[in-house]
Amino acid sequence: LAYYFRVKPWLRKEIDERLRRNIPLDLNPQRTIGVPIRRSDKCRRHAIEGSAPGEMECPPLEEYLKKVKEFLEFDPRIENVIVTSEDKSACDEFLEVLR
């Protein structure tokens, strides 16, 4: 049994508009890596009321940064790193760790 998600036209339009506002037109996907940081209810010992206990120990942001640096040494042609998370504070903290 296969299931796939069909985005309603109004939502597709909204997503496209947000992507256009936030991603440069000249971004080269072959010189870009993505870093998805999973936080919130995925991590053990979270403080989200009414949520199931977390599934795993989430690594510190320094560990993500270490791996990004290792990858950049492996492929120095990378020009862009896109950090995503369902938890805005994770992205903000990642940027702080970079500084």
Side-chain angles (χ1 to χ4, degrees):
L1 180 63
Y3 175 80
Y4 60 95
F5 181 68
R6 285 192 215 178
V7 179
K8 298 198 180 260
W10 67 267
L11 182 56
R12 179 178 297 280
K13 182 179 180 214
E14 181 68 24
I15 291 169
D16 288 345
E17 287 174 6
R18 288 182 185 208
L19 288 172
R20 283 191 192 93
R21 281 194 311 261
N22 293 293
I23 298 178
L25 293 175
D26 62 347
L27 183 119
N28 183 345
Q30 294 180 342
R31 296 189 187 267
T32 303
I33 59 171
V35 180
I37 299 174
R38 187 69 192 270
R39 284 275 191 90
S40 68
D41 64 339
K42 184 74 171 178
C43 303
R44 289 190 183 128
R45 293 184 295 280
H46 65 75
I48 301 171
E49 188 175 328
S51 179
E55 301 172 18
M56 59 184 278
E57 295 296 328
C58 291
L61 293 176
E62 291 80 10
E63 189 65 28
Y64 285 92
L65 183 57
K66 177 182 169 192
K67 295 299 181 186
V68 167
K69 287 180 177 178
E70 287 175 9
F71 193 86
L72 294 175
E73 288 176 16
F74 172 75
D75 188 353
R77 298 173 304 142
I78 297 299
E79 298 171 348
N80 305 290
V81 177
I82 298 175
V83 179
T84 61
S85 180
E86 82 287 359
D87 182 352
K88 182 182 179 314
S89 68
C91 294
D92 294 341
E93 289 173 36
F94 188 83
L95 291 174
E96 284 298 317
V97 170
L98 280 174
R99 295 186 178 118

